[in-house]
Amino acid sequence: MPRTLTPLLLAVLAIFTAQQLLTPLFPVLTHDLDLTASQYGLVLSISAAALALSSPLWGLALDFLGLRAVLIAGLALCVAGLAGFAAAVTLASGETLTPDLAFVAMLVFRSLVLGGGLASLPVAALAVAGTSYEAQRTGAVGLVGAASGLAAVLGPLVGGGLAVVSLMVPLYLAPVIALVVAVVVLVVVRPVPPVEQPPRFQPWEVLPAFGAGFLLHLSFGLAEVVVILLVKDRMQTDISAGTTWLVPIVAAVGLLGAQAVLVPLLRWPAGRLMKIGAPVALAGYAVLAVAPSVLLVALGFLVVGLGVGLAVTGFAAAATLAAGPRHQGLVAGLVNATAGIAVVVAPMASGLLHDVEPNAPVIAAGVAAALATGLALLPIGPSRVRIPV
């Protein structure tokens, strides 16, 4: 793998963990700052939209301006967004800001500034991973997804633990972490000229891969949003909060295991990862749809995580194989935007479907996975290329 990739992976892990430190604080802050549930949802939705929409722009900037310029701008936005959010909450808590002004400040700093800045890091890491040799490509791409996935697990756990001491500890710690990471990355990262490798196939050959990737990200989001409600509704008994949260944690373990362990060990071509991962995810949704116990729901979601982890890594690797080194930034931006758009759409769609029928989001997730399986079976370019061992 390129030497530059390791510090970028650590930067993705650290910055996304810093952002996720704030996740356990939102329910409490929403109450303390007199914000409505819809305002809280809007902060998260606009953040996801900012990440999705800015990703292709970061990709173009990386291709034209270079890696360091993107890192400087992106990390500066991350520091400013986290620091601005902390300042807004502090001023609102002291009643210096009204609830309406606090909400506007949260939208600006937490949603727009931080959301846009965050997108730069996975785009940069994925673009660098896309310049690795073919034999290492899927493993390198998988590690990018694993870094952000691990942050999604670590951040809330650490943030929740620190919030027991004081809500202000994770709030102030997050921008400090971002600032330290920014300094270290800008000192350590020195772009290395990529190995000239021509595209293995034509760009239009990856259109089915983009379709499958979007559907799999969407399916996972549809199920993830309602899985805890599904457990409570289906069991119809009082179960502990720790038991219900076991299910999404198990799914995250499945994703991490697939991207960080299975993909590097298997060394399968990108097309094969999609062809096998998508039906595995579909099988997991079938278990979720009928599982009568918490353990079986967790097992089903573990299978989903494994399948989605394999397939979306194959999708991202397939996209990188359709571009040469000078266009990896744009490809990385489009891959990140594909995942980001699914994150924007899934919560709203899942909530609406759940209001109609509690099991509907899981059924919809299964339909999306089935469509992704069909697209994965199409003759995508990388499926015809055997990656050498």
Side-chain angles (χ1 to χ4, degrees), residues 30 32 184 203 325 329 350:
T30 300
D32 291 348
V184 171
S350 186

Side-chain angles (χ1 to χ4, degrees), residues 42-66:
L42 193 60
V43 169
L44 299 183
S45 297
I46 291 179
S47 177
L51 188 147
L53 294 175
S54 64
S55 291
L57 301 179
W58 286 120
L60 287 171
L62 197 151
D63 287 336
F64 285 100
L65 302 177

